[in-house]
Amino acid sequence: MSTPRRLLARLRNLMAHRDAQSGAGDLLALARLVAAELVSEVCSVYVLRGGDSLELAATEGLRPESVGRTRLRVGEGLVGLAAASGETLNLPDAQNHPAFAYRPETGEDSFASLLAVPVRRAGRLLGVLVVQNRAPRRYDAEEVDVVETVAMLLAELLAATQPERNDSGLAAALSRRFAASSLAPGIAIGPVILPSTGRVPQRLLADDPDRELQRVEQAWEQMQRGIDQLISDQLPATQGKKAADAAASREILDAYRLVAGDAGWLKRVNEAIRSGLSAEAAVSRVAGELRDRMRRITDPYLRERLADLEDMAGRLLDHLSGGAPQEVVVAGSILLVRRLGPAELLDWHARGIGGVAIEEGSASGHAAILARALGIAAIGSARGVLEYANPGDEAVIDADEGQIFLRPALELKQGYISAIAARSARQAGWASLRDKPAMTGDGTRIQLMLNIGLAMELGQLATTGADGIGLFRTEIAMLARGAVVDTPEQSAVYTRVFDDAGEKPVTFRTLDLGGDKLLPGSPTPEEENPAMGWRSLRIGLDRPALLRRQLRALLLAAAGRPLSVMFPMVATVAEFRAAKGLLLAEAARVRPAPSVLRVGTMLEIPSLMWQLPSLLKEADFISVGTNDLMQFLFAADRGTPQLANRYDVISPAVLDLLGQLHEQASAAGVDVSICGEAASRPLEAIAFAGLGYTCLSMPASSILPIKAMLSDLDLTKFRPYLSSLRRTSGGSASLREPIAAWAREHGVRF
Ligand code: PEP
Ligand code: MG
């Protein structure tokens, strides 16, 4: 019998005959078994006491008198470090580790190697299991696996003797605000739901591995059917829109499936079952490993894929236990979670939540994309909120400003209730503007276009009355699918876009991958500054086959209709020329040729500003990407929260740049527009219109508010004001306040 199976069989015996009154005796027996099986001199169990102290509760090999006396704070010493980081420590030379804290009473100075595994249950820390040996050595993968599995069993023993965490006292009653990032706009007020952070298997060990393998297989099939059902029930019902929804479901489902298929985690579940675990325990074990891997991954896209997997593991556990217990959800409730997969969000949406805070959510994640499509207010990276919230607490999510309030003061809550009422009144007013062209109060026509990237968003053309699609981010569909698909499949996506857009113009941007937009499986770049690294068009020009495949797909999809293609991250006219050359070469081979072929560039790297005379001779249009332009102009990473509002688009430097660009492009007869997020903000839009921009592209949620705001704006009055403000405000970091004051004075509702 292999070590893990024999050890697990002995532990099963121990647990079956344990004496509920003598917890300490069980722990000692467990420590002895582990030490004997692993041929280790020491095995110790440290138990969390009072929330932050780890007490030596049982040991085989350290001095018995230190039991109950030796204590380390979480974060102190190697045991504390394993507890604080939540990660297994495997050290051949523990005493020379900088975190080593010597406790003379234990006599542990004679042991060189150490393996410390945090003991957790349902995401909660309960203690640390430690193995030590005299000889310096690194424990091998099988030993680590065994100790981690024992830690899972130990968690059951400890949980039986410890009360559940429940914040009490003053901290649980105080009102608190947490800053967050916005994932999907909106405001939601309601009671907090804190779903249990992990389903805890009831039965950990099993005698009959074949039976368990069969159970997992069955549950897996049921889960697949359940996901299909969920997506087909939920998306169309919530959006009420035909083909685009079916396409969206496919995109999300494909990506979700792809993750399950390629990670090979079912194989690992099967291996864990063969070592003696029950199906439930094996799935939990593999999900736990995933959670640990997730902690180490910084790439936001990969983290999202792992969140998908965690979602699946949870679902699988539900099927194994014969269905998830369904708590009753008050409509409009606010869900607080650490991570959330897309299928889970659909589940919660069906149950009526109004908002969600995803502690580790990113704007490019599936859950965020779906939340936007479903109209659920969503925020991400609200650090600490999970620790301070109790189920049923009242909360306000303000996803527009990126914040959440727990147990809000009455006045604050009233303020938000009025804001919601005012918003719905405003929305009713905005709806009446949908079919009217966007015009300033004094009659200048402004084109308001959509920024989208998924077929599911195409319906927004009709719901917002936008003039067209100013930015179709082609990489988003690829990110949702998890791979760059081949020409026919790409072409099918673009054909849907053309078909749904009908007469309205669409500008397709070629793949803008790299930086923070990485495909799963693509090697993590070893660049110090990936945003300024080998990304986007740079990859396209160095790997022309990839770019040509995409250009060909676009030309095929156009099928004789007008086609506008735009290149991202262009730094030199030579790059633009090379990319355009590839497009024209493909265009010469595709029939029918587009009735009109327009080739443009994004302006997001400042260097282009000093090449305008030649660029304007070669580009048919320019679209300013303020997101990247701001990051490169001010050397301020767009993903660093501390820099989020440090530099203002409405500042003399940026307005001068945009003013000069507009002037020169207009003189050359080249169309110029703005498609970065700044165009979606009312005050910025006022400033851009004041500079002469008549085409702005933005997310769907901003089209009607910006249209309404523009209808209040008298440009003939605002232009001279803006000019004089720019002349007299050299040296200011921002012109936001004076422009806001002007807007208020002149009745512009922004
Ligand atoms: C931009 O940089 O402003 C832009 C529109 O592109 P993305 O946000 O996709 O980089
Ligand atoms: Mg960009």
Side-chain angles (χ1 to χ4, degrees), residues 656-706:
D656 280 0
L657 184 157
L658 294 176
Q660 285 168 28
L661 174 66
H662 185 267
E663 226 167 78
Q664 295 188 44
S666 311
V670 171
D671 289 339
V672 60
S673 61
I674 298 182
C675 68
E677 298 299 313
S680 66
R681 296 192 287 266
L683 271 185
E684 278 83 337
I686 295 178
F688 300 155
L691 292 173
Y693 284 82
T694 53
C695 182
L696 303 176
S697 195
M698 60 196 71
S701 52
S702 302
I703 298 268
L704 290 173
I706 294 286

Side-chain angles (χ1 to χ4, degrees), residues 471 473 509 512 517 602 604 625-628 638 675-676:
L471 171 63
R473 291 178 162 107
R509 180 177 74 180
D512 188 21
K517 291 184 258 188
M602 297 209 51
E604 41 190 359
T626 48
N627 309 336
D628 277 315
R638 67 193 260 188
C675 68

Side-chain angles (χ1 to χ4, degrees), residues 275-513:
S275 79
L277 292 183
S278 68
E280 289 87 342
V283 173
S284 297
R285 169 102 177 78
V286 174
E289 281 170 16
L290 277 173
R291 235 170 273 132
D292 291 345
R293 274 174 59 199
M294 218 173 310
R295 244 190 290 271
R296 286 189 281 266
I297 289 177
T298 52
D299 172 64
Y301 197 74
L302 278 184
R303 281 179 81 103
E304 284 295 335
R305 303 291 65 75
L306 286 171
D308 288 1
L309 267 178
E310 238 199 354
D311 178 338
M312 281 210 185
R315 228 157 253 284
L316 200 51
L317 281 178
D318 290 342
H319 283 288
L320 280 168
S321 62
Q326 295 267 308
E327 304 147 57
V328 178
V329 168
V330 178
S333 290
I334 288 180
L335 178 67
L336 304 188
V337 282
R338 211 166 289 286
R339 289 172 288 276
L340 192 69
E344 272 177 309
L345 179 59
L346 288 180
D347 267 345
W348 285 108
H349 175 255
R351 297 168 68 191
I353 59 161
V356 57
I358 311 171
E359 198 164 84
E360 294 180 8
S362 75
S364 62
H366 280 161
I369 292 170
L370 272 178
R372 288 195 286 273
L374 299 170
I376 297 173
I379 53 168
S381 34
R383 291 201 170 277
V385 67
L386 280 169
E387 277 151 48
Y388 286 94
N390 294 299
D393 277 353
E394 182 131 75
V396 174
I397 283 188
D398 174 356
D400 297 353
E401 294 299 324
Q403 52 189 346
I404 176 167
F405 300 90
L406 278 185
R407 305 174 284 270
L410 192 62
E411 311 79 71
L412 183 89
K413 183 178 149 191
Q414 287 302 347
Y416 274 105
I417 290 174
S418 323
I420 292 176
R423 174 181 298 229
S424 27
R426 245 182 301 150
Q427 269 164 350
W430 291 341
S432 66
L433 288 175
R434 196 191 57 198
D435 299 321
K436 298 194 180 128
M439 290 278 191
T440 61
D442 57 334
T444 302
R445 174 81 165 93
I446 310 273
Q447 305 279 331
L448 296 185
M449 315 282 274
L450 274 181
N451 291 353
I452 62 169
L454 282 174
M456 81 188 324
E457 296 169 297
L458 280 165
Q460 293 167 344
L461 268 177
T463 54
T464 60
D467 292 301
I469 298 169
L471 171 63
F472 188 87
R473 291 178 162 107
T474 57
E475 70 280 0
I476 301 289
M478 307 296 150
L479 288 169
R481 283 184 169 234
V484 176
V485 294
D486 60 13
T487 302
E489 252 186 283
Q490 282 194 49
S491 182
V493 174
Y494 307 144
T495 300
R496 282 209 302 274
V497 178
F498 273 114
D499 291 349
D500 275 46
E503 293 297 300
K504 293 186 175 179
V506 183
T507 298
F508 290 92
R509 180 177 74 180
T510 60
L511 292 174
D512 188 21
L513 290 166

